[in-house]
């Protein structure tokens, strides 16, 4: 299989964007990615759009995006895997190149989540789980993760202070990211004092809905060389796995089996192990999700996620710096854009462009993008030669 | 009549719609595959083991153990005015798992993982339309069956 | 690139299915495809789900489908390309195998369209086009195709009787298809007498919403041989193209440029021309769409679609028999399932299993699946050796 | 204020929101790219040619030719009670295209492809909220501008 790499990336700032349509947001990311790659649109043979349709009034987003980007008649369709929709798009583009069908493909992750009215958001929120056996009882997205957190605390003694410590770290780094939605440091005390959402999770344990778009441009090795690109970041390990929709069918409530399966695939394909990962962006939709990610990815042992953040293992200088862009928590979570934005961050880290939040000399990085409560997980290992 | 199940229903059509009628009658039902005998809870029409399409409902006793739980303060559409409410996941002694509200015989504040509970079929008495569910109650709680 | 073929296919009957969830429908198609292929689930390494999310109360369908089919933790995500979502899923599965990532992949196309209430359907119907510049004027899906029809009539003299003749043919063959929603012959007079929907289109020019699911199982050539499969139908030509969301950006209102582009790709890849196609399933969401398809696919010249149906060129015995399963018109159109169901039909035709609606000895067939008003088009050439 | 545009609006936020204000003022506006001068109708914020992000609205006269049309009998939500209504697609003499309702100065039954029309900015007078649109009228039709 031909090696596939990223030759350009760009994203909008994340946050409330009441000034733009979703295709206008996509154009901002597209423009930034082309400028970053230093290529013209004509080299891009196809696009893939990652997004969750039900947040938009506009149906079938690839239609308006491909038109607004002026890319017709090139192929495009949408991928959906809940909050991992952007990574499904990235995987699709990788497949298109690996199969030899295209040489250069653009991935657009995008989402406008603040377009809906509160009543519409509340209606959607009631259908995040299995609607047959769970939604009728008022389950919510924080509610599911709260049940993971409760079980994690029970089995391993994880504390609310440890959860809060994840939020503190992510706000710390988010403050240094000009693309982040929240750019203010917080304290454990402030996080602990925030309003309860779903016990034991409170407001500062949860990421925020945001608007935004991100774009990466992929090329096969030969095409990248032909274009004269010499700072390519390679997609050397690509993992993807699924788990049940329903929490009732889960074999484990203290981690995500889909994340462990996807990580194992990505590590094996890249020929690395967890200890080789020098920088990572993981899916911290809730603080407990980042704790579980440390364990699922092998950054620490099972049940040791709380101790790992206590020991600052996920700070710069720790064994595995995590979410130096602020994570979903501080950067914001425009769900379709998130997986692509994670990829942008790790590419920037591996190129050494992150300034105050740069991991010095990092050459191997990882993205971990979870859909829903682990129904999907995509783990990718990226490498700079 | 599966729209009977849960306070808010998004799933009107299913091959196991009879589950809701049985629940109204006070019976908690799983499914047994007619071909290979596999038992499932929640019930399902199609067997994941042998792919058989024929099943029969089979009654569950409803005793179980709390696996995890949460108290939901920020609730979705249809649950306004009921917050906060507590939901728990229970491993049934007879196999399978369910998610349900904490009922009146349990002290919500003292709810704990590992606690023994009894799942009890319920009708929303205050609603005009028929709506059924189940609650987690103290072991030994009894109820009427049709 | 390794050759990829179809080793099994199955589908539910199409129509109103008020007895089943969408995952229960998917299971019916999955069971039929496994039985047809004569393989056990363990050989299937991944699945791809094609569906249009906004019709379902259940969000993120791949989650419930992968769980109900008992396929976790294998990879899955959803593809959306409006009414061509099923073909986007098929293309994704083809890429997974062609890239060497998987050997055997199942494609599930599914849709429940009768679950929504009338008010919800009317609300969705108002957002089928570009919501920024068109929806505010009350545009509809039949409205767009009506404007294509009006222009086609103007430029080429196509008549309402010729449109009706397409419906008559598709009901004729649909009557012989046990999976079809409508199994009754109609006449041109009956079609012409039906109520106006959007002039010049009336009720019998339009296909009907339906519930249904279809499944095909794909395998790489080596895997198919290893499994002992000897009646494989090969995906020898795979075409995919896009066009603008908005009718305001179309270069042509008498055909679909995306269909012509996709057909050119598929023919070139398969090494065939239009005249080699012995049987086809084309996207007749409206009668005018089938007329345009004849022309876009090269079954006749530009503007000759009306004459082509008059001459019975798309009947068995004609130059290019089309929609012998009844098409979307009589078989029904569960949008996510349609592209996969088309593939099932052509596989059955190439295997010679279609009884009274069989094209004798057909060995090269084609599917033509359009998303929306041509925002997407997938054209595939299938071959039996 | 782009929610002003059309009888039903699904697009509240756009970088060309000013289009609706101009329409209320009686002006039909396209966009001109500040960097390369490309003119677009409908207006767009980002230039497809040079990728420039800056644009200026530029007024259109609104004369054009009917490309195609239909009379919609089965209408979506928000258009009940207005059926049937006729919409047409028009190629503007100054470039670009729009879709609009047939206005009162044209005979809908005689509408034809190739017919010359004048696009006229309109306010929905009967609605309390501000809602603007445009109609296809006989050539020479005039209107007030702010
Ligand atoms: Zn069985
Ligand atoms: Zn320009």
């Amino acid at each position: 299989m031909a090696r596939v790499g990223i030759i350009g990336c760009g994203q909008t700032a994340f946050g409330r964007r009441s000034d733009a349509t979703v295709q206008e947001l996509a154009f901002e990311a597209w423009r930034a990615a082309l400028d970053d790659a230093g290529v013209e649109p004509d080299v891009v043979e196809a696009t893939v759009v990652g997004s969750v349709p039900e947040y938009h009034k506009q149906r079938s987003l690839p239609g308006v995006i491909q038109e607004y980007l002026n890319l017709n008649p090139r192929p495009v369709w949408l991928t959906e895997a809940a909050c991992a929709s952007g990574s499904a798009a990235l995987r699709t583009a990788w497949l298109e190149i690996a199969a030899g069908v295209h040489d250069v493909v653009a991935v657009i992750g995008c989402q406008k989540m603040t377009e809906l009215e509160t009543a519409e958001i509340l209606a959607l929120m009631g259908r995040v789980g299995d609607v047959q056996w769970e939604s009728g009882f008022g389950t919510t997205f924080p509610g599911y993760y709260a049940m993971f957190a409760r079980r994690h605390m029970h089995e391993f003694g994880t504390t609310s202070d440890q959860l809060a410590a994840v939020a503190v770290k992510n706000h710390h780094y988010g403050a240094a990211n000009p693309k982040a939605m929240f750019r203010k440091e917080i304290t454990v005390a402030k996080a602990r004092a925030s309003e309860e959402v779903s016990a034991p999770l409170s407001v500062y344990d949860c990421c925020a809905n945001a608007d935004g778009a991100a774009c990466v441009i992929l090329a096969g090795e030969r095409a990248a060389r032909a274009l004269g690109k010499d700072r390519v970041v390679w997609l050397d390990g690509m993992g993807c796995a699924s788990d049940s929709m329903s929490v009732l069918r889960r074999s484990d409530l203290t981690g995500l089996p889909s994340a462990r399966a996807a990580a194992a695939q990505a590590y094996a394909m890249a020929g690395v192990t967890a200890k080789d990962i020098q920088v990572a962006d993981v899916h911290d939709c809730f603080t407990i999700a980042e704790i579980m990610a440390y364990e699922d990815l092998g950054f620490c042992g099972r049940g040791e996620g709380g101790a790992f953040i206590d020991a600052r293992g996920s700070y710069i200088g720790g064994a595995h710096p995590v979410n130096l862009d602020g994570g979903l928590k501080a950067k914001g979570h425009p769900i379709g854009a998130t997986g692509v934005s994670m990829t942008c961050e790790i590419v920037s880290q591996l190129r050494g462009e992150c300034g105050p939040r740069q991991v010095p000399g990092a050459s191997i990085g990882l993205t971990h993008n979870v859909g829903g409560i682990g129904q999907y997980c995509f783990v990718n290992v990226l490498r700079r030669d | 009549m599966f729209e009977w199940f849960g306070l808010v229903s998004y799933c009107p059509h299913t091959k196991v719609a009879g589950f809701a009628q049985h629940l109204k009658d006070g019976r908690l039902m799983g499914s047994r595959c007619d071909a290979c005998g596999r038992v499932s809870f929640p019930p399902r029409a199609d067997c994941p083991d042998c792919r058989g399409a024929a099943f029969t409902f089979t009654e569950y006793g409803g005793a179980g153990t709390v696996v995890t739980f949460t108290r939901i303060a920020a609730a979705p559409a249809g649950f306004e005015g009921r917050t906060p409410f507590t939901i728990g996941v229970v491993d049934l002694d007879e196999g399978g798992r369910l998610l349900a509200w904490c009922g009146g015989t349990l002290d919500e504040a003292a709810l704990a993982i590992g606690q023994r509970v009894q799942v009890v079929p319920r009708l929303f008495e205050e609603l005009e339309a028929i709506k059924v569910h189940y609650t987690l109650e103290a072991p030994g709680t009894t109820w009427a069956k049709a």
Side-chain angles (χ1 to χ4, degrees), chain A, chain B:
Chain A
M1 188 189 302
R3 206 176 184 196
V4 177
I6 294 166
I7 61 168
C9 53
Q11 71 164 81
T12 68
F14 285 179
R16 179 174 278 272
R17 289 296 303 269
S18 299
D19 64 319
T21 61
V22 64
Q23 60 266 39
E24 287 165 351
L25 291 181
F27 201 104
E28 290 182 23
W30 162 246
R31 175 191 287 124
L34 286 174
D35 290 349
D36 180 60
V39 298
E40 288 300 308
D42 60 338
V43 308
V44 177
E45 299 173 16
T47 46
V48 187
V49 172
S51 194
V52 175
E54 53 265 40
Y55 288 92
H56 303 114
K57 294 295 185 183
Q58 176 67 59
R59 296 174 66 184
S60 210
L61 279 197
V64 289
I65 289 174
Q66 200 79 340
E67 174 182 341
Y68 198 69
L69 269 45
N70 205 32
L71 294 177
N72 297 126
R74 295 171 234 186
V76 69
W77 62 86
L78 176 143
T79 60
E80 190 271 347
C83 317
S85 296
S87 289
L90 180 74
R91 189 173 175 91
T92 301
W94 168 71
L95 290 166
E96 290 182 315
I97 296 172
V101 173
H102 299 300
D103 287 328
V104 181
V105 179
V107 179
I108 312 268
C110 56
Q111 203 79 48
K112 276 203 77 179
M113 302 184 71
T114 70
E115 201 169 277
L116 298 185
E117 290 162 26
T118 304
E120 294 171 311
I121 289 282
L122 287 173
L124 273 186
M125 179 181 153
R127 300 191 279 114
V128 295
D130 174 298
V131 302
Q132 187 167 10
W133 300 105
E134 297 172 0
S135 300
F137 291 88
T139 51
T140 63
F141 200 40
Y144 288 111
Y145 274 96
M147 293 194 287
F148 289 146
R150 177 88 65 190
R151 187 80 204 177
H152 204 277
M153 290 170 162
H154 174 78
E155 291 194 27
F156 305 121
T158 307
T159 66
S160 290
D161 275 3
Q162 289 171 334
L163 299 185
V166 170
V168 168
K169 171 182 71 69
N170 291 351
H171 277 266
H172 171 70
Y173 288 117
N177 181 1
K179 303 292 189 191
M181 183 170 190
F182 300 115
R183 302 194 54 198
K184 269 175 34 182
E185 304 254 356
I186 61 165
T187 61
V188 167
K190 177 169 180 169
R192 289 297 308 277
S194 68
E195 198 175 354
E196 180 180 302
V197 173
S198 191
L201 302 183
S202 58
V203 167
Y204 273 95
D205 289 302
C206 310
C207 69
N209 286 354
D211 303 328
C215 175
V216 294
I217 300 175
L218 271 53
E221 182 161 22
R222 209 175 41 186
R225 303 291 182 216
L227 289 166
K229 299 304 158 197
D230 54 5
R231 48 168 204 165
V232 180
V233 171
W234 301 101
L235 291 167
D236 277 358
M238 302 290 287
C240 173
S242 69
D243 206 341
S244 64
M245 191 75 196
S246 170
V247 72
L248 306 180
R249 292 282 301 271
R250 291 296 171 89
S251 58
D252 180 4
L253 295 173
T254 61
L256 301 180
S258 59
R260 295 197 283 272
Q265 292 168 34
Y267 290 153
M269 184 175 158
V272 301
T273 66
K275 71 175 185 331
D276 297 314
I277 304 302
Q278 297 163 301
V279 59
D281 244 43
V282 311
H283 200 90
D284 60 321
C285 48
F286 299 92
T287 49
I288 182 64
E290 181 164 324
I291 299 269
M292 296 195 301
Y294 298 154
E295 302 172 13
D296 291 335
L297 294 168
F299 293 173
C300 62
R302 295 297 302 278
E304 297 170 1
F308 187 73
I309 182 68
D310 279 345
R312 298 175 70 89
S314 49
Y315 276 79
I316 293 174
H320 300 285
V322 169
N323 288 345
L324 306 182
D325 56 356
L328 284 58
K329 182 72 194 74
K331 189 172 59 172
H333 183 27
I335 50 182
T338 286
V340 184
S341 171
M342 286 176 164
T343 309
C344 292
E345 168 68 10
I346 296 304
V347 168
S348 299
Q349 286 283 349
L350 299 185
R351 289 190 196 151
E353 300 169 344
C354 290
R357 53 195 179 79
Q358 175 67 44
V359 175
S363 64
I364 300 179
L366 173 148
T367 60
H368 159 277
N369 187 196
V370 174
I373 59 167
Q375 282 91 357
Y376 321 99
C377 189
F378 295 80
V379 175
N380 301 333
V381 172
L382 288 75
R383 183 164 12 202
R384 165 179 62 76
D385 285 338
Chain B
M1 81 224 67
F2 201 74
E3 63 270 28
W4 286 1
F5 182 61
L7 178 60
V8 172
S9 170
Y10 299 111
C11 185
H13 309 146
T14 169
K15 294 181 178 183
V16 295
F19 176 84
Q21 174 71 57
H22 284 298
L23 202 60
K24 177 170 172 291
D25 292 344
R27 296 176 197 280
L28 183 70
M29 294 293 201
S31 60
R32 175 179 284 114
C33 171
D34 288 354
C36 78
R38 179 198 156 107
V39 173
S40 300
F41 192 96
R44 45 180 295 152
D46 305 287
C47 181
D49 288 345
C50 77
R51 301 202 295 282
F55 73 98
T56 306
F57 281 115
T58 178
E59 190 166 355
Y60 268 59
T65 306
V66 173
V67 178
T68 188
F69 63 95
T70 183
R71 179 179 62 243
I72 292 182
F79 295 84
E80 308 85 351
R82 292 182 180 257
T83 55
F85 54 85
T86 295
I87 53 174
V89 171
V90 167
D91 269 345
L92 297 168
D93 293 354
E94 298 148 290
R97 203 176 253 187
L98 56 68
L99 183 151
W101 282 305
C102 208
T105 62
L106 291 181
D107 175 6
E108 284 195 20
L111 194 65
I113 290 173
Q115 184 173 344
R116 296 286 299 163
V117 294
Q118 173 64 46
V119 177
V120 176
R122 299 285 181 198
L123 186 67
F124 283 96
E125 304 284 357
E126 80 278 20
L127 300 180
E128 280 207 30
I130 296 173
K131 282 282 181 185
V132 294
H133 64 116
Y134 29 61
T135 54
L136 310 183
E137 305 287 353
T141 303
T142 58
W143 67 96
K145 296 186 186 187

